[in-house]
């Protein structure tokens, strides 16, 4: 009997959908910083930036206090300002779009591809106006977007191409790590993301002008100029209105230590995803994630799509039944325009029917590097148990 109907749950303890892995090496790296003269942005931040830049093969990396601040920095560096439009998917975390609002820009939501759930390049062009400043894609679940198409569109229409890679550090596109394909790429180091710094984010770019703008914005818009040098050694100038968005050395030391393990983390995520797909792909009513041949996902999320025509109940009931079995399922994401704040701004769902349709049937299953064999089996058992109960016979 289903746990939601009073039966015994598949698991006794709750399994969350994502969780960090911290080992002694990580802990010791943090302790070392605590004993050092620097706690705020210092040498550990520089080391972390160099390590990330090297890992993805980008020229510059600028670390931020969190991924949202990093995105805000990218919009700033791109010159996104009041009245500009940015084109973005709604199937993302609100922060992707909020950070554009911080700059006074107007988000224009464009629909996703029905197989990958990534922003669909074919639908971008009729959204471009003379006010469009940037295309902002999201590597949803860790699967890289169609980078070539967005590069071409950005070039043709003189737009800045920003990639929200919060899910895709370590993922590859045509054999190359994500991070070089867009003009700027943001990665997040929130604890559920590929590697963590507690809170943290970074923007990587090959463009030194963007890198300078990112650094300026991160720290109050303060810099040393030629004037400063004439005035004296104490002198600095605030030349732009920046923020205090700095990452600190404690975060950065953790990040550098975590980054050494990223490929191992992704391999574990990939193995779990393969176990899920093997068990679910032939079951009527379940649609497993479609992967493209030229991409390797970072498997930040594993999304199961329910074909609701096969079940006697909706996604809500199936979701609640899985939670009752102690499986920490989630939904990624509520389309951004559905949030009250965006509705107040006048956004509606009408222009993105695929986003709407996909949203109705998605469930995120737990996936993280330290899941045990039993954890994975429990998820599979619970999904099979719940859907067989609700399947239309
Ligand atoms: C996590 C996330 C962010 C924001 O990152 P934070 O580090 O939590 O600020 C932005 N976009 C997407 C798609 C994310 O998943």
């Amino acid at each position: 009997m289903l746990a939601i109907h009073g039966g015994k749950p598949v698991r006794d303890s709750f399994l969350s959908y994502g969780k960090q892995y911290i080992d002694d090496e990580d802990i010791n790296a943090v302790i070392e910083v605590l004993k050092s003269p620097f706690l705020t942005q210092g040498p550990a931040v520089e080391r972390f930036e160099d390590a990330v830049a090297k890992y993805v093969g980008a020229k510059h990396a600028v670390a931020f206090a969190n991924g949202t601040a990093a995105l805000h920095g990218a919009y700033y560096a791109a010159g996104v300002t009041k009245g500009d439009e940015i084109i973005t998917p709604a199937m993302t975390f609100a922060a992707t779009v909020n950070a554009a609002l911080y700059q006074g820009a107007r988000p224009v939501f464009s629909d996703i591809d029905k197989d990958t759930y990534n922003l669909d390049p074919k639908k971008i062009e009729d959204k471009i106006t003379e006010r469009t400043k940037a295309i902002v894609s999201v590597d949803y679940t860790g699967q890289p977007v169609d980078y070539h198409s967005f590069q071409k569109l950005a070039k043709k229409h003189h737009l800045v191409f920003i990639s929200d890679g919060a899910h895709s550090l370590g993922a590859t596109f045509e054999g190359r790590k994500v991070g070089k394909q867009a003009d700027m790429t943001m990665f997040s180091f929130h604890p559920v993301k590929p590697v963590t710094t507690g809170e943290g984010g970074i923007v990587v770019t090959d463009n030194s002008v963007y890198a300078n703008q990112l650094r300026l914005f991160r720290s109050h818009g303060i810099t040393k100029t030629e004037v400063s040098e004439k005035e004296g050694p104490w002198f600095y100038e605030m030349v732009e209105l920046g923020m205090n968005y700095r990452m600190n050395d404690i975060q950065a030391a953790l990040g550098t230590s975590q980054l050494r393990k990223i490929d191992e983390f992704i391999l574990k995520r990939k193995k779990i995803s393969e176990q899920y797909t093997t068990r679910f792909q032939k079951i009527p009513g379940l649609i497993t994630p479609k992967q493209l041949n030229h991409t390797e996902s970072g498997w930040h999320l594993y999304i199961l799509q329910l074909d609701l025509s096969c079940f006697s109940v909706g996604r809500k009931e199936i979701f609640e039944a899985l939670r009752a079995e102690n499986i920490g399922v989630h939904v990624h994401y509520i389309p951004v325009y559905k949030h009250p704040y965006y509705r107040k701004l006048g956004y509606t769902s009408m222009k993105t029917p695929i986003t709407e349709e996909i949203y109705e049937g998605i469930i995120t299953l737990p996936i993280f590097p330290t899941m045990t064999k039993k954890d994975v089996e429990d998820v599979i058992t619970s999904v099979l148990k719940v859907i067989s109960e609700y399947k239309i016979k």
Side-chain angles (χ1 to χ4, degrees), residues 340-352:
Y341 186 82
Y342 282 87
R343 286 213 311 271
K344 243 175 14 201
L345 294 180
Y347 288 96
T348 67
S349 59
M350 280 148 45
K351 290 172 192 132
T352 52

Side-chain angles (χ1 to χ4, degrees), residues 133-159:
K133 186 82 188 183
I135 299 172
V136 185
S137 66
V138 178
D139 292 335
Y140 177 73
T141 72
Q143 174 159 232
V145 295
D146 181 353
Y147 276 108
H148 287 317
S149 297
F150 293 116
Q151 280 164 349
K152 272 191 215 138
L153 282 165
K155 199 160 182 204
K156 180 173 166 198
H157 298 277
H158 308 288
L159 306 174

Side-chain angles (χ1 to χ4, degrees), residues 75 80-88 100 104-108 127-136 159-160 347:
Y75 286 122
V80 171
T81 184
K82 200 170 160 53
D84 288 343
E85 294 173 1
I86 61 127
I87 299 175
T88 179
R106 201 179 81 82
V108 175
K127 303 272 184 343
I128 295 172
T129 71
E130 68 221 13
R131 317 209 80 163
T132 309
K133 186 82 188 183
I135 299 172
V136 185
L159 306 174
V160 184
Y347 288 96

